[in-house]
Amino acid sequence: MFTGLIAAVGSVTAIERDGEGATLTIATELAGQLREGDSIAVNGVCLTATDVGEESFRAQAMIETLERSSLGALQADARVNLELALRAQDRLGGHVVQGHVDGTGTVRATRADGFARVLEIAVEPRLARYLVEKGSVTLDGVSLTVSALSEDGFSVSLIPETLQRTNLGLVREGDRVNIEVDILAKHVERLLQARV
């Protein structure tokens, strides 16, 4: 489990792809805190560290992960948001994030709003139904608040701290971002369906 508070931005140094998936090598200052078998969120996708060095780690992404998230389109030198798994004694500063990406959205527009930067994200209806204004959403692993809803998506407002500490300061119109909707909304929907 994660909180959506990014610990570091890493750099993809290598990607090995074959018909069975991909192996990512990521350089990061967090490598010293990892052990083989540990979970780490990479752009919001929960992966397992399979090989850990002093300054980098490797993790595998299966076909399902590559197809459902933006990890399949990653290139060498890409900047990725990283978060170590939550420990029981840690503060829950963001919201409950599983690292199970529900799909991707497309950045439709960006604009300044005072010191903040607003991202307008287009999403499929199957994801949009879980979004509520002032509710939680995760973009590329970053815990954010939905600032507005539109017919085909939503907006988030990013403060300078988020822009500096994550890769969201680099996104442009047309970029794909990983989206994880609030797990509570999905559970409520499932429970209500069972009663009908």
Side-chain angles (χ1 to χ4, degrees):
M1 188 172 79
F2 305 93
T3 67
L5 300 181
I6 303 305
V9 176
S11 178
V12 177
T13 58
I15 304 175
E16 302 162 36
R17 292 182 172 94
D18 58 30
E20 298 182 3
T23 301
L24 311 175
T25 303
I26 300 172
T28 176
E29 66 214 36
L30 298 178
Q33 299 178 52
L34 284 171
R35 293 185 320 223
E36 290 180 11
D38 283 353
S39 293
I40 184 165
V42 178
N43 272 0
V45 179
C46 181
L47 298 178
T48 300
T50 57
D51 184 30
V52 179
E54 289 182 21
E55 298 177 354
S56 66
F57 70 94
R58 290 166 51 102
Q60 294 175 310
M62 61 184 140
I63 293 170
E64 155 78 3
T65 302
L66 298 173
E67 290 176 350
R68 186 176 290 261
S69 73
S70 65
L71 295 189
L74 278 180
Q75 300 294 322
D77 295 325
R79 309 277 290 153
V80 290
N81 292 327
L82 301 172
E83 182 185 359
L84 299 171
L86 181 68
R87 294 183 179 139
Q89 72 270 17
D90 291 343
R91 289 182 177 153
L92 185 60
H95 73 281
V96 174
V97 175
Q98 294 184 297
H100 303 164
V101 170
D102 294 298
T104 61
T106 302
V107 178
R108 185 175 44 217
T110 67
R111 62 181 166 81
D113 184 24
F115 60 71
R117 182 176 186 218
V118 176
L119 301 182
E120 295 178 17
I121 311 293
V123 295
E124 299 173 44
R126 70 177 183 84
L127 295 181
R129 71 178 189 249
Y130 299 114
L131 300 168
V132 296
E133 192 170 324
K134 303 306 177 196
S136 297
V137 68
T138 306
L139 291 186
D140 275 356
V142 182
S143 174
L144 297 168
T145 301
V146 174
S147 58
L149 295 172
S150 64
E151 195 170 300
D152 64 345
F154 65 99
S155 298
V156 292
S157 297
L158 309 177
I159 62 172
E161 180 76 6
T162 302
L163 295 170
Q164 291 173 0
R165 293 180 56 95
T166 74
N167 67 2
L168 293 182
L170 304 174
V171 299
R172 301 289 175 254
E173 287 183 28
D175 286 352
R176 284 177 58 207
V177 290
N178 292 324
I179 297 176
E180 181 181 332
V181 297
D182 193 341
I183 186 64
L184 296 176
K186 292 191 294 186
H187 279 299
V188 167
E189 179 184 64
R190 180 76 173 165
L191 289 168
L192 290 174
Q193 286 174 344
R195 299 187 86 179
V196 173

